[in-house]
Amino acid sequence: MTRWRYGWLFPLVLAVCLGGLSAWLGRISQVDVEETALNPNEPQYSMTGISGKRFDEQGRLKESLGAETAWQLPKSDDVTFEKPELAMYNGGKLLYTVNSNEAHYNTENRKVQFQNNVVLTKNADAQRPAGILKTNSLTIDTQTETAETQDAVEYQYGDSHGTANGLVYDHKKGFLNLPSRVKAIIYDPKNL
């Protein structure tokens, strides 16, 4: 009968010892992780001398964005750029460039809000003349290839030039709308 007791006693003692050893090892090797909230007024990350490019489905350059510095605040969809330059391409050919002192790029809607000394330069193509636009702020929608502002603008589009309050430009349609206080000299290139 004593032999039967020892047959089940050894596995029981071994299981209790291994359970105790496992609990002790778990307790001494436990790492306490303390989550620290980031300061919402300080950048989560920052970069200097940045340059990024996006390509179309055929592998041709579609957009490029460069800036002296960039940063993003915690829990924000906006990336802030200092001295940015955005270039938009179609089929690998340069459509226009935009530069300013500061810009904010929203990662959700892919719109860029340029601010302070904004200059948009559009190259001439087969259908449209070259153009240049100067304003204090300009919102570019990179998806729809549109630009708009409510601020005063100074522009030159081919031989035409002038000023206005506000602007809406749709590159795909070749549509330029100057909604208010327009002072312009407009030349129709078809009649020259």
Side-chain angles (χ1 to χ4, degrees):
M1 186 117 182
T2 56
R3 193 168 199 210
W4 182 76
R5 279 188 185 164
Y6 293 124
W8 64 271
L9 186 62
F10 176 73
L12 181 65
V13 170
L14 182 62
V16 169
C17 288
L18 288 176
L21 181 64
S22 180
W24 177 73
L25 286 173
R27 184 178 166 129
I28 66 168
S29 63
Q30 184 178 11
V31 176
D32 291 330
V33 177
E34 187 176 319
E35 195 171 305
T36 304
L38 297 173
N39 183 341
N41 299 320
E42 292 181 10
Q44 180 175 348
Y45 68 85
S46 64
M47 301 171 282
T48 58
I50 67 164
S51 177
K53 296 179 180 179
R54 182 176 289 146
F55 298 89
D56 65 14
E57 295 81 24
Q58 289 77 31
R60 295 177 298 214
L61 187 58
K62 183 175 180 180
E63 301 169 13
S64 71
L65 178 65
E68 287 183 8
T69 59
W71 66 89
Q72 186 173 18
L73 296 176
K75 297 182 181 179
S76 173
D77 292 332
D78 288 342
V79 179
T80 302
F81 297 93
E82 284 185 5
K83 302 287 185 186
E85 182 170 314
L86 172 69
M88 298 293 295
Y89 298 83
N90 186 10
K93 294 181 181 177
L94 181 64
L95 295 175
Y96 59 85
T97 60
V98 183
N99 55 48
S100 67
N101 291 342
E102 185 177 326
H104 303 277
Y105 177 72
N106 187 286
T107 57
E108 291 296 312
N109 63 22
R110 293 177 56 182
K111 290 184 180 180
V112 185
Q113 172 70 45
F114 290 91
Q115 297 173 323
N116 303 323
N117 299 318
V118 182
V119 178
L120 180 142
T121 306
K122 182 195 138 341
N123 289 344
D125 58 28
Q127 294 92 14
R128 298 174 207 108
I132 189 165
L133 172 93
K134 296 178 182 179
T135 187
N136 197 44
S137 74
L138 185 68
T139 301
I140 305 281
D141 188 329
T142 60
Q143 298 292 96
T144 62
E145 296 180 18
T146 58
E148 64 181 284
T149 184
Q150 300 298 316
D151 290 348
V153 297
E154 180 183 324
Y155 67 92
Q156 182 172 350
Y157 189 69
D159 292 330
S160 303
H161 57 89
T163 59
N165 282 350
L167 162 127
V168 176
Y169 176 68
D170 187 326
H171 179 76
K172 290 179 181 178
K173 295 178 183 175
F175 178 74
L176 174 65
N177 181 22
L178 304 168
S180 160
R181 298 195 174 234
V182 179
K183 294 181 182 178
I185 297 176
I186 300 175
Y187 294 99
D188 187 357
K190 295 175 189 173
N191 294 331
L192 293 178

